[in-house]
């Protein structure tokens, strides 16, 4: 069971699934939505994920994307795409223990900030991962 929470603790979530698509995303939308140079995410089946405490705020961040965050402290929690209705992406650093789900690659590396230097040896994809 994966469990996590926002910074203020009002929102708690759990997912009864193995994470997939663990990545560090360098896209400009993740960056802007978090105020951080990159955001780590992983994917679980939408059916396996639920909030166990609190109610998120949600907004459309792109034509197909909807993001949720804590209305009190602003922690970004999930990303959902209308093109992938069976999946939900969860922000890795909202995990109770982010060490459990390290990124396995970098996505949208073409828009990586010049002052973010990667030295972890992981694959870096210019855009989304080729296998989606
Ligand atoms: Zn919060
Ligand atoms: Zn992104």
């Amino acid at each position: 069971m994966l469990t996590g929470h926002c910074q203020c603790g009002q929102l708690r979530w759990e997912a009864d699934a193995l994470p997939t698509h663990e990545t560090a995303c360098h896209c400009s939308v993740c960056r802007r939505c978090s105020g951080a140079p990159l955001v780590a995410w992983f994917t679980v089946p939408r059916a396996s994920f639920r909030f166990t405490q609190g109610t998120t705020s949600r907004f459309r961040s792109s034509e197909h994307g909807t993001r949720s965050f804590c209305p009190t402290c602003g922690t970004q929690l999930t990303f959902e795409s209308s093109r992938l209705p069976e999946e939900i992406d969860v922000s890795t650093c909202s995990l109770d223990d982010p060490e459990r789900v390290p990124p396995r690659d970098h996505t949208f590396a073409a828009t990586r900030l010049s002052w973010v230097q990667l030295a972890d040896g992981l694959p870096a994809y210019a855009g989304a991962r080729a296998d989606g």
Side-chain angles (χ1 to χ4, degrees), residues 18-31:
L18 291 173
T20 58
H21 292 172
E22 306 94 319
T23 194
C25 185
H26 297 259
C27 85
S28 60
V29 183
C30 283
R31 211 149 67 202

Side-chain angles (χ1 to χ4, degrees), residues 103-123:
R104 290 188 293 126
D105 57 39
H106 295 269
T107 42
F108 293 90
T111 49
R112 172 182 57 82
L113 291 168
S114 62
W115 46 267
V116 174
Q117 296 298 317
L118 306 178
D120 53 20
L122 296 174

Side-chain angles (χ1 to χ4, degrees), residues 4-25:
H5 64 277
C6 66
Q7 168 62 20
C8 77
Q10 202 173 97
L11 275 153
R12 295 192 169 275
W13 60 260
E14 66 180 25
D16 191 7
L18 291 173
T20 58
H21 292 172
E22 306 94 319
T23 194
C25 185

Side-chain angles (χ1 to χ4, degrees), residues 63-79:
E63 189 185 346
H64 297 281
T66 301
R67 293 173 189 245
S68 75
F69 63 97
C70 173
T72 298
C73 71
T75 301
Q76 189 176 200
L77 296 163
T78 65
F79 171 84

Side-chain angles (χ1 to χ4, degrees), residues 1 4 8-9 17 20 31 34 37 48 53 57 66 74 85 94-96 112 115 119 121 129 132:
M1 183 73 79
C8 77
T20 58
R31 211 149 67 202
S34 61
S48 75
Q53 181 183 297
S57 287
T66 301
S94 73
L95 278 162
D96 290 335
R112 172 182 57 82
W115 46 267
R129 195 183 295 98

